[in-house]
Each structure stands twice: as C-alpha cells, then as structure tokens.
Amino acid sequence: MSMRRTTIKDVAGAAGVGVATVSRVLSGGSASPETRERVLAAATQLDYRPSALGRNLRQQRSGGIGLLVPDITDSFHGRLADGVLACARSAGEPVILGATGDDPEREAEMVGMLLEQGVGRMVAVPSGSGEIWEPTLRTGLTTVFAHRVPAGRGDVPAVLADDRAGVRTAVDYLTGLGHRRIAYLGGPGQEQRVAAFREALGPLVDEDLLVFARGSRDSAYAAAAGLLQHRPDLTAVLAGGNLLGEAAVLAARELDLRVPRDLSLIMFDDVPWAELCAPPLTVIAQPAQDIGYRAAELVLRGDGRRPRGVLLPTELVVRGSCAPRGTSRSPR
C-alpha cells in the first residue's frame, strides 16, 4: 500500500507553526532564525519536498483554474463564483473551488493544496496578507485577485468594484439627510472601503464608530450589537457587506431600534433578501457575477504578459432604510 505524501500542513504541525509561516520560510521569506530552523528541521524529518511547489511546478501543471472564495453560501461570493464558472465553462476549463472562511491560515493551506494539485491558473478573493501569496507568485502561476487585493500586492492584476465611488455616494447621501454620527461596520479585507469612508467623512469621522468583525455571522452580530449598545448617539450605519448588514438589521431589531426612524442603514451588496426587509434596505450594488467573469477572462488571457486590472462601477440603490436625521436616541 502506498504511503500518503507529506503536505505543507504536516510540516506546520510538526514545527508548531502556521501553514503561512511554512510557506514563507520555504519560499525564502522573512522569519526568525529559531522559526526557520524548526520549519526546515520538520521538513527534513518528514521528507517534505517543496520542489513540487517550485521549479518543477510548470511541468506538473495539469491545467484548470483554482478558485478561492471566503464562503460559498454567501450570496455575493456565490454569484462571483458563478461568473468564474460561466467563463471557464465557455473556455472548456475545469474549476477547483475552495472556501477559506476568511481565515488566512486556511487560505495558505488551500493555496498550497491547489499548487500541489497542479492547477494552471488561480482566481482568488484573498483574505490573508500579501506574504501568503508570495510562494504562488514566485512560481509564475498566473493569478488574478477578485473583489479584494491583499496589502502590498498591488502588482497582481485584480478585478474590483469601485469601492471609493460607492462609499462616497453612500456617505454623501447620508450627510445630505442630515446625519453626522455615521458608523462603519466592517470585516476582513475592507481596508480600501475604510480609507474611502474616512476620506468621505473628513472631519466628521469618529474613529470609535469604526467597528470590525471577523468573517463569521456570530462575530458580525457581536460587533453590530456592541456598536448600537455602546453608541446610542449614532444615527446611521454603513455596513461593509451583506453579512454585516444582516447583523445590523438583527441587532437593531433585538434592541428595539426602528429603521429608519431610529437608525438609517446602508449596506454593500444588493442581495435578494435586502428588498424583502421591512423596510427594504438601501444598498451599494456591486456586479458580483461580472467581477467573477472578468477575473476568469483575465486569468485565461494571461500568457506571460501581465494583464491589466479592471475597475467596475457600483450603484447606490435607494429604498426605504434611510430617513432624515431626527432627534438623537436616548441611551438605553
């Protein structure tokens, strides 16, 4: 019976470090001498052969597209994945799909697994830092980011929605209604939206009203509930995604806050349930399927010359969840 091949996760477990750290050490990235020594010793002891991820990768690539998204049950990421699949299907390319849960360690592990399986190209909604992607990019594997770009990886082509314009339009709409204490409820990978929010509000920005959750429903709800409980003076919330918008709606309901009389709410992503809320939610609509399709087009076009990125427009869809600012809520 053949023995199972040692994986990068095995090395991480033996060395007592994360998968991302192993990837960084084996690709020549930064690490302390003690960490580097532990990783290399574990790799030697387990007879791990990183050459499968390095110089021999070009010969081992079997084709197809690796696709990584945070959550396949999320409507936005599901539509983005559908766009990638539609483009790949028209080109006759198979797609290997993985969900990272917006966990950088899991993302690093899945990147390593896709490389070991010999995918020819990669489309990803990244959740981790740029360092996680260094081993992949060093192999020359054609990679395109969709929806997000990790810090320090502006050199990689990406297909993005125009977050800056979307945030600016939403903030202008809220301030035009008289709102001054506006909160931002954010999640992983939203650095550009946060920067745009600060820029749009200017001197009105209150850093205590910028609250962040991890990529789970429980974390989103805790962040939203904490924000609404601890800052009864705020009058409007911009939620950075549909999971966060859902959390804001639920937290407001639990706290007996009425939308929009007590709280105006705008959410990124025009998902089906947004129109079914009472009242229907005002949203910043993003072309999720187009983002996926264009990302697949870019990655399939990559043939040694680096393709240019794409910026797609957003749209503010005004419904019933915002109203002119009234009397501030009293603390509960």
Side-chain angles (χ1 to χ4, degrees):
M1 184 172 67
S2 61
M3 295 183 64
R4 181 177 71 88
R5 187 173 65 173
T6 301
T7 68
I8 194 171
K9 188 175 182 180
D10 297 326
V11 177
V17 298
V19 173
T21 301
V22 176
S23 293
R24 190 163 60 246
V25 169
L26 296 181
S27 66
S30 60
S32 69
E34 295 80 8
T35 299
R36 183 179 302 279
E37 184 177 343
R38 285 209 315 275
V39 169
L40 294 177
T44 301
Q45 181 182 2
L46 295 174
D47 195 26
Y48 178 67
R49 301 182 184 278
S51 58
L53 305 181
R55 64 178 183 275
N56 294 330
L57 183 60
R58 289 182 179 83
Q59 286 74 40
Q60 295 182 0
R61 288 177 187 160
S62 57
I65 300 172
L67 171 60
L68 294 180
V69 296
D71 181 1
I72 58 174
T73 68
D74 174 82
S75 177
F76 177 85
H77 295 124
R79 285 182 289 132
L80 186 151
D82 188 59
V84 172
L85 292 168
C87 182
R89 185 165 54 247
S90 67
E93 286 282 343
V95 176
I96 302 176
L97 174 63
T100 65
D102 260 330
D103 180 343
E105 289 290 328
R106 191 190 306 176
E107 178 177 82
E109 177 186 341
M110 298 196 77
V111 168
M113 289 170 55
L114 287 171
L115 289 175
E116 289 177 338
Q117 291 177 29
V119 297
R121 299 169 178 86
M122 186 90 73
V123 173
V125 179
S127 57
S129 69
E131 283 188 338
I132 287 175
W133 291 93
E134 190 61 33
T136 308
L137 300 172
R138 285 191 182 191
T139 68
L141 184 74
T142 303
T143 301
V144 171
F145 292 135
H147 181 51
R148 302 174 184 165
V149 177
R153 293 270 51 132
D155 56 327
V156 178
V159 180
L160 307 170
D162 193 345
D163 282 350
R164 187 171 181 271
V167 170
R168 165 67 69 179
T169 302
V171 169
D172 285 351
Y173 179 63
L174 289 171
T175 55
L177 291 173
H179 295 281
R180 295 296 179 266
R181 294 186 181 91
I182 304 171
Y184 183 86
L185 183 59
Q190 295 187 6
E191 291 82 6
Q192 293 183 22
R193 290 181 186 175
V194 175
F197 181 79
R198 287 194 175 100
E199 179 185 337
L201 270 181
L204 293 177
V205 71
D206 181 341
E207 292 295 327
D208 290 337
L209 293 180
L210 275 65
V211 176
F212 300 93
R214 297 184 300 277
S216 71
R217 276 182 165 78
D218 288 346
S219 178
Y221 179 81
L227 172 67
L228 297 179
Q229 285 178 311
H230 297 139
R231 288 299 301 263
D233 58 324
L234 72 87
T235 63
V237 173
L238 173 57
N242 67 78
L243 190 70
L244 298 157
E246 175 187 297
V249 169
L250 293 174
R253 185 178 301 164
E254 289 290 324
L255 294 169
D256 293 325
L257 298 175
R258 293 159 296 181
V259 175
R261 181 172 173 179
D262 298 323
L263 181 73
S264 288
L265 176 61
I266 298 179
M267 174 181 78
F268 263 92
D269 303 342
D270 191 11
V271 294
W273 62 261
E275 207 166 2
L276 302 176
C277 279
L281 295 188
T282 294
V283 298
I284 302 168
Q286 305 176 93
Q289 191 165 19
D290 286 348
I291 290 173
Y293 197 98
R294 296 293 292 275
E297 278 187 328
L298 278 189
V299 85
L300 288 169
R301 195 185 306 160
D303 53 3
R305 53 189 180 84
R306 188 171 295 281
R308 298 179 63 182
V310 176
L311 190 66
L312 298 176
T314 56
E315 178 188 3
L316 183 69
V317 181
V318 177
R319 296 190 180 118
S321 62
C322 297
R325 181 181 65 86
T327 305
S328 295
R329 302 186 269 129
S330 340
R332 295 184 177 271

